[in-house]
Amino acid sequence: MAGGIGSRFWPQSREAHPKQFIRVFEEQTLLQQTVSRIKPLVPLERTLVVTHERYVPLTSQQLPDILENNILGEPISRNTAPCIAYAAFKLHQIDPEAIMVILPSDHLIKDEERFLQTLQKATDVAQAPGALVTIGIQPSYPATGYGYIQYDPTENIHQGVYPVRTFAEKPNESTAERFLDSGDFLWNSGIFVWRVDSILSNMKIHLKSTWDAFQEASDHLGTDQEASSIIKAYHKSARISIDVGVMERAGNVHVIPGNFGWSDIGDWRAVYDLSEKNQHGNVLRGNAIVHDTSRCLVDAGERLIAIVGIHDAVVVDTDDALLICHRNSTQQVKNIVDYLRAHQHKDFV
């Protein structure tokens, strides 16, 4: 899934060139890393990328070995449920019992071997008809930027596989602390594994409007009418996540606790947390100098940025915009993007 805008990653992430197409840590972009790490389990010819239609050329440029027909363009953004429905109906034509591995394109995975082992376990469980599997992340702190999954640790269905009790939206700080203390909550990674017929049958029950819309379009998939039929399907579909639309309502939902150095790099705080720091706790990138400054992330680019007497801050400079915020307020960067969009400052969004 590669259609997001990554507004919390502003000002580097923009509508024209969002986060998944940016090199954050490595030589490869986040999208390229996602495709590369899954190759041992899913070869390129069986890899689909669903993105906004405006990003199809950029996706092709960054992933030249992906088949053109395997890049699916969304006409409008409708959250993850329509995105997954589009891919599922495409795959259903090929093999109704095929296993789907759903991966957001903007995650960082440090231990790729353990990650693939976890996915392999998930695909084994997902072979059972009707089984829906998700990967949860062992929480290391009471994060308020992630959704949570509560599971039953007393019922080990399969080695390290547990039934899901409930899904919880992003909590406030006190609720997140309670989740962490309970010991039976995991971060919701947004990674899912299931058979194609399993997810489609669940969508038919729990998200009928979306299922109907794409069922109607399915006869035209692979034809000259695919684009126009998909436009109609997206406009008929609800704007809803697969979590809310299906996973919170379905039975036979399992979770596998994962511990493989995961981060969704959702904001600049995550970049700071994951980066190597100097003796003062600073992360300095680009042309930056600091004095009497600690625990800061400074991403300067080519222009010289000098920071004096500042602590626990994030400073990100681009050609046309400068972000300065407290390191604990990076989730609120999205509010700046919303303001710019509402006040018609489209050149900066």
Side-chain angles (χ1 to χ4, degrees), residues 22-192:
I22 294 174
R23 295 174 178 86
V24 179
F25 292 106
E26 309 289 344
E27 289 300 315
Q28 290 184 314
T29 66
L30 294 173
L31 172 61
Q32 290 169 333
Q33 289 179 51
T34 303
V35 171
S36 178
R37 78 170 62 97
I38 201 69
K39 276 185 189 178
L41 189 64
V42 183
L44 289 175
E45 63 269 20
R46 296 210 305 267
T47 300
L48 301 184
V49 180
V50 187
T51 187
H52 193 284
E53 60 185 17
R54 72 166 75 97
Y55 304 137
V56 169
L58 186 54
T59 302
S60 297
Q61 178 185 340
Q62 292 203 356
L63 302 172
D65 295 329
I66 294 286
L67 298 173
E68 181 180 347
N69 291 337
N70 284 14
I71 301 175
L72 310 183
E74 297 183 283
I76 53 176
S77 297
R78 277 287 193 262
N79 213 314
T80 57
C83 162
I84 290 170
Y86 186 8
F89 273 100
K90 289 282 283 190
L91 291 176
H92 192 268
Q93 289 185 332
I94 302 169
D95 180 3
E97 298 181 1
I99 299 291
M100 292 182 71
V101 178
I102 311 295
L103 299 168
S105 62
D106 56 356
H107 289 181
L108 177 71
I109 306 292
K110 290 187 175 181
D111 190 340
E112 296 190 1
E113 182 178 357
R114 184 175 291 183
F115 171 69
L116 290 174
Q117 291 171 353
T118 305
L119 284 187
Q120 184 62 63
K121 181 187 294 185
T123 60
D124 293 342
V125 176
Q127 296 282 354
L132 304 179
V133 186
T134 184
I135 308 299
I137 305 299
Q138 294 284 3
S140 55
Y141 67 97
T144 58
Y146 301 142
Y148 284 74
I149 301 169
Q150 186 183 31
Y151 69 104
D152 185 352
T154 65
E155 188 178 345
N156 196 338
I157 298 171
H158 183 68
Q159 291 181 331
V161 183
Y162 304 93
V164 170
R165 284 178 171 169
T166 187
F167 287 79
E169 297 299 312
K170 296 176 181 179
N172 58 33
E173 189 170 349
S174 61
T175 302
E177 289 174 352
R178 193 172 71 251
F179 286 171
L180 199 66
D181 291 340
S182 72
D184 60 353
F185 278 86
L186 303 167
W187 288 337
N188 186 349
S189 71
I191 299 172
F192 307 101

